[in-house]
Amino acid sequence: MTVRVGVTGATGRMGREVIAAVDDHADCEVVFAVSRSPDGETVDGVEIESADDIDSLLVEREPTAVIDFTGPESAVEYAAACAAADVAFVTGTTGFDDNQLEALEDASEEVAVLHAPNFARGVQALLNVVGEAVQNLPGYDVELVETHHNAKRDAPSGTANRLLTEIEANGEFTERTHGREGEQPRDAGEIGVHALRAGNVTGEHEVLLAGNHEELRLTHRAEDRGVFAAGAVDAAAWIAGQKAGWYDFADVIAE
């Protein structure tokens, strides 16, 4: 079965990568691609249409799933439109506040919604092992450093926050310390969190565990945005036919 994909934010960095990734996937095709400012542009031969027409495009083009890498406000609007049209929604957008996450969860009551801060399979592997590392090294200091390009809006990154959640679930931690300045001796139970923004770095996350005169570093580097797009397209193919509900990229990897 051919998976019919709608793409939002199609003229952005990730939107372009998603269109290319769909083209590389034998079982997928782009049935529409939208942008807030289409300006008659095409991406890899796909005509970019106005995001204002999303409601009618969902009905007329009958996508299997929509892939979204935009911003929190836009993603929530697209998710609601997909819920109304009975179309699955896959988003890698990060930076949602609590109300926006609640709106996404509301959409998942009507259709399948898959939200992941990172669609790299290597990051999923990192998430799988970081908790075990924390359990095996009780009492060790933990620091997390993430680096992204200078245009990334949210900090810490969505992936960093997901890693922090996994770390906290597997150890005795009481607070997150974001950066340090002046006299700040380390407190027991804190996790140091550092967000770097520079150049055109695609994405790097490192978890440092140190104690007992040793250190363990767990690092993931994404060398090309295409890895995120390919994972999102895999998620769109997987979510076809899934019942309404909230899903994670781990569900895709598990099968």
Side-chain angles (χ1 to χ4, degrees), residues 13 15 36 41 70 81 84 86 97 122 138 152 164 182 188 193 215 217 247:
R13 294 180 179 182
R36 294 294 186 187
E41 189 174 354
T70 54
D86 195 27
D97 62 28
K152 185 168 178 61
L164 288 166
V193 184
E215 63 180 53
R217 294 176 185 264
Y247 299 94

Side-chain angles (χ1 to χ4, degrees), residues 123-143:
V123 165
Q124 190 58 54
L126 175 57
L127 287 167
N128 290 342
V129 302
V130 71
E132 184 176 357
V134 170
Q135 288 181 9
N136 289 335
L137 300 172
Y140 279 46
D141 296 332
V142 178
E143 299 276 311

Side-chain angles (χ1 to χ4, degrees), residues 29 32 49 56 71 84 93 109 125 136-137 163 175 188 194 202 223 232 236 245:
E29 66 173 337
F32 71 75
E49 301 176 81
S56 60
T93 296
E109 295 179 3
N136 289 335
L137 300 172
L163 285 164
E175 63 178 323
H194 312 276
T202 300
E223 298 177 351

Side-chain angles (χ1 to χ4, degrees), residues 15 33 45 82 86 102 144 160-161 185 199 206 210:
C82 285
D86 195 27
E102 184 177 347
L144 187 151
N161 282 320
E206 179 178 80

Side-chain angles (χ1 to χ4, degrees), residues 13 17 25 36 42 65 71 78 84 92 102 113 115 126 135 144 149 154 160 182 187 206 208 213 238 243 247-249:
R13 294 180 179 182
E17 294 286 354
H25 199 293
R36 294 294 186 187
T42 62
Y78 294 138
E102 184 177 347
V113 173
H115 173 238
L126 175 57
Q135 288 181 9
L144 187 151
H149 55 87
D154 55 314
D187 294 328
E206 179 178 80
L208 165 66
H213 305 289
W238 176 86
K243 64 182 181 180
Y247 299 94
D248 186 81
F249 193 49

